[in-house]
Amino acid sequence: MNLASLVFLAFAMSTDAFAAAIGKGSSLHKPKLLQALRVGVIFGVIEAITPIVGWFIGQAASQFVASWDHWIAFTLLLLLGLHMIYNGVKPEDADEQTEKPQQHGFWLLAVTGFATSIDALAVGVGLAFVNVNIWLAAGLIGLATMTMVTIGVMLGRVIGSVMGKRAEMLGGVVLIIVGATILYEHLSA
């Protein structure tokens, strides 16, 4: 696999994280570039680690991972998306702070990052059978994801300021669509 193919693969692997980042950015209160970069780094590191893990798994048990990865990704993204939709439609208590959070917690970002990187895990399994430098591939995937997620959060900021609370619901719908797309692509292949 040549360098151009690896770069294309890296950006293809980051598209679902980009869509999720738009939802995350829209649910924050005017995220700044540093906050967007934080989200990008968390997603990028997770997205870089998963193909390496997949590569090692591919050495031992590729059949199991390949047959379940899409279901795991779909379930995680569905649950996260439903949670975001619920937060968007639930009435706010007078006691609750009505402003959007300044940033998402690490664990929420990590779970979302992991959910969008399940396909990278499967790619890592596939790369175990190809003559490729897994460290270079993982680094490119992580860098592309960090870049795309940072841009996605900042784009979500614009969408969020225009749409208000509906933006969080839209972000949830986007996560569900990403999960359904992953599931559809694997089931129709």
Side-chain angles (χ1 to χ4, degrees):
M1 187 174 264
N2 63 27
L3 184 60
S5 297
L6 285 177
V7 170
F8 179 76
L9 172 69
F11 278 101
M13 299 305 314
S14 67
T15 56
D16 51 353
F18 174 73
I22 291 173
K24 292 297 181 191
S26 68
S27 67
L28 291 174
H29 176 71
K30 297 181 182 176
K32 298 191 179 355
L33 181 58
L34 193 58
Q35 293 164 317
L37 189 57
R38 173 184 173 261
V39 176
V41 167
I42 291 170
F43 273 65
V45 166
I46 291 169
E47 194 89 18
I49 291 171
T50 52
I52 295 169
V53 171
W55 189 81
F56 284 113
I57 290 172
Q59 302 295 324
S62 64
Q63 190 71 350
F64 177 75
V65 173
S67 63
W68 287 97
D69 66 337
H70 50 283
W71 287 106
I72 295 167
F74 172 72
T75 302
L76 288 172
L77 290 171
L78 175 69
L79 293 174
L80 288 167
L82 290 173
H83 179 70
M84 288 177 71
I85 292 170
Y86 171 75
N87 284 338
V89 298
K90 76 175 182 179
E92 296 181 19
D93 294 339
D95 297 338
E96 287 185 14
Q97 185 181 5
T98 58
E99 293 184 18
K100 294 180 178 181
Q102 292 294 324
Q103 67 180 17
H104 292 295
F106 172 80
W107 291 110
L108 177 62
L109 292 174
V111 168
T112 307
F114 179 72
T116 61
S117 69
I118 294 291
D119 55 344
L121 182 80
V123 165
V125 170
L127 292 176
F129 304 105
V130 180
N131 185 18
V132 66
N133 181 336
I134 189 62
W135 305 105
L136 176 62
L140 290 172
I141 290 169
L143 183 62
T145 300
M146 182 187 76
T147 303
M148 295 292 285
V149 167
T150 302
I151 292 168
V153 170
M154 295 309 290
L155 182 59
R157 172 187 173 152
V158 173
I159 293 170
S161 66
V162 171
M163 295 181 62
K165 193 167 180 172
R166 293 181 304 263
E168 186 167 11
M169 294 175 0
L170 178 63
V173 171
V174 167
L175 287 182
I176 293 170
I177 290 171
V178 168
T181 301
I182 292 169
L183 183 63
Y184 174 76
E185 288 173 353
H186 281 74
L187 293 179
S188 65

